[in-house]
Amino acid sequence: MSFNRLLTAVTLGAVLLTATAAWSQSYPAKAINVVVPYPAGGAADFVARFMSKEMSTTLNQLMLVDNVAGVGGALGTMKMLNAPPDGYSVLLSGVTEMVLTPLANVNAKYKSEDFKTVAMIGQADLMLVVRKELGVNNIAEFLELAKKRTDKPLSYCSTGVGSQYHLMIEKFNASAGTKALHLPYNGFPQCVTNLIGEVVDYAFLPMAGPFPGFVEKGSLKLLAIAGAQRNPKFPDAPALSQIRGFQDFVFTAWAGIHVSGKVSDEIVQILNKSALAAMETAEVKAQIVASGSIRFDLMNPKQAHEFYLREVAKYQATAKSINLQAQ
């Protein structure tokens, strides 16, 4: 390469780097759409709203929550992925739509590898709850009833075929040697309404958002926690992992922020710094604690994405163990 051509290439590269840096520094120049792939009123919506409020302050731009429910979270996820990869569309993410729905639903036109992780916010234990008139008061009585109901199996609701909650109960039934009728919904609000209304028998719900309140008010009965140990919020509920046959039954619901894998690393870094600043505020800390969740340690984008990839591997293995098939 001649000296003049080399000089031109170096100059052009410097111009492009300068332009990219300047463009990143101007971000965000308008409101950011925060897609929640579930209806308003659920745990994901709850997290999205208090995080958006705090992040709006540090970004000096509005973050507008956009509930797009359906297909196990795939509709909202695809809306975010199909938006221009400029950082103005982000996803309030969880394991169902990020990992499981692409494995279980042929209409989910994306893969777990199509994302970049902005931040991991918090995680919550999951609780096994039953309708209050089911006639059981503990996990032993529940398992006994489930095994008796061979002619008319107990029913459970989830946030959709292939969702984390669908996969968990299928694994639960495989471990217990029981069968159940699956009633999938687009989100938790209708699931919980039907549990309280005695239409559905049981479900796993996250110990976050409004759901612990239904237990505290007596609208639902809590039988067990799907965690490694008892949860201090409900210390009388046993951990399933401490019961014979369920030793490996440890699941949590996590909330994060993801963007399209095509979004620049510079934009991801800006969003990450804003998310971490929000997580350090007294209000967000209080909201996470009040919901019964645990805040993640602060992670940069690389650390957050490594956590996400470990979750992908874990749930893909679980899906394989119950022979989850795409439908």
Side-chain angles (χ1 to χ4, degrees), residues 31-290:
I32 297 170
N33 198 46
V34 182
V35 177
V36 177
Y38 300 101
D45 181 68
F46 180 77
V47 174
R49 292 184 187 278
F50 68 68
M51 282 296 293
S52 295
K53 178 184 176 183
E54 295 300 322
M55 289 178 67
S56 292
T57 301
T58 57
L59 292 170
N60 200 31
Q61 287 290 346
L62 287 175
M63 297 192 78
L64 305 174
V65 175
D66 181 16
N67 297 93
V68 185
V71 196
L75 287 184
T77 304
M78 288 189 291
K79 179 176 181 178
M80 186 280 291
L81 284 173
N82 291 332
D86 53 10
Y88 290 101
S89 185
V90 306
L91 182 75
L92 195 289
S93 52
V95 69
T96 289
E97 65 279 2
M98 297 294 294
V99 183
L100 298 173
T101 299
L103 297 176
N105 198 310
V106 294
N107 295 312
K109 306 297 184 182
Y110 59 90
K111 304 183 296 297
S112 298
E113 297 78 26
D114 293 338
F115 305 89
K116 284 183 179 178
T117 309
V118 169
M120 300 306 304
I121 302 166
Q123 60 184 336
D125 279 337
L126 300 170
M127 52 186 182
L128 175 62
V129 299
V130 300
R131 60 183 179 87
K132 62 181 181 180
E133 300 298 332
L134 185 61
V136 300
N137 296 301
N138 54 55
I139 189 64
E141 292 178 358
F142 174 77
L143 291 172
E144 182 181 1
L145 177 63
K147 289 175 181 177
K148 286 180 180 178
R149 293 279 294 268
T150 55
D151 56 331
K152 188 181 178 183
L154 297 178
S155 61
Y156 73 91
C157 56
S158 79
T159 53
V161 174
S163 68
Q164 179 182 21
Y165 305 93
H166 174 211
L167 180 146
M168 284 178 63
I169 293 187
E170 289 302 309
K171 183 173 177 61
F172 176 85
N173 285 318
S175 299
T178 56
K179 293 184 178 180
L181 175 65
H182 181 208
L183 301 175
Y185 294 97
N186 282 336
F188 276 126
Q190 191 60 48
C191 172
V192 173
T193 296
N194 286 354
L195 276 167
I196 294 172
E198 304 288 327
V199 177
V200 181
D201 293 319
Y202 70 105
F204 275 100
L205 300 178
M207 198 178 291
F211 304 120
F214 295 114
V215 173
E216 292 167 333
K217 290 184 294 186
S219 302
L220 297 171
K221 282 186 180 179
L222 170 60
L223 299 186
I225 303 296
Q229 57 193 10
R230 293 174 185 249
N231 188 289
K233 191 171 184 68
F234 297 113
D236 293 334
L240 280 169
S241 62
Q242 297 171 346
I243 298 172
R244 178 180 292 181
F246 297 93
Q247 289 89 338
D248 63 344
F249 202 88
V250 178
F251 294 90
T252 61
W254 50 257
I257 301 174
H258 280 80
V259 293
S260 164
K262 298 176 183 178
V263 173
S264 73
D265 291 340
E266 291 83 6
I267 297 299
V268 170
Q269 188 66 43
I270 291 170
L271 288 168
N272 173 265
K273 287 181 178 179
S274 176
L276 298 191
M279 290 167 62
E280 286 282 72
T281 64
E283 182 171 348
V284 167
K285 287 180 179 179
Q287 292 278 17
I288 292 175
V289 171

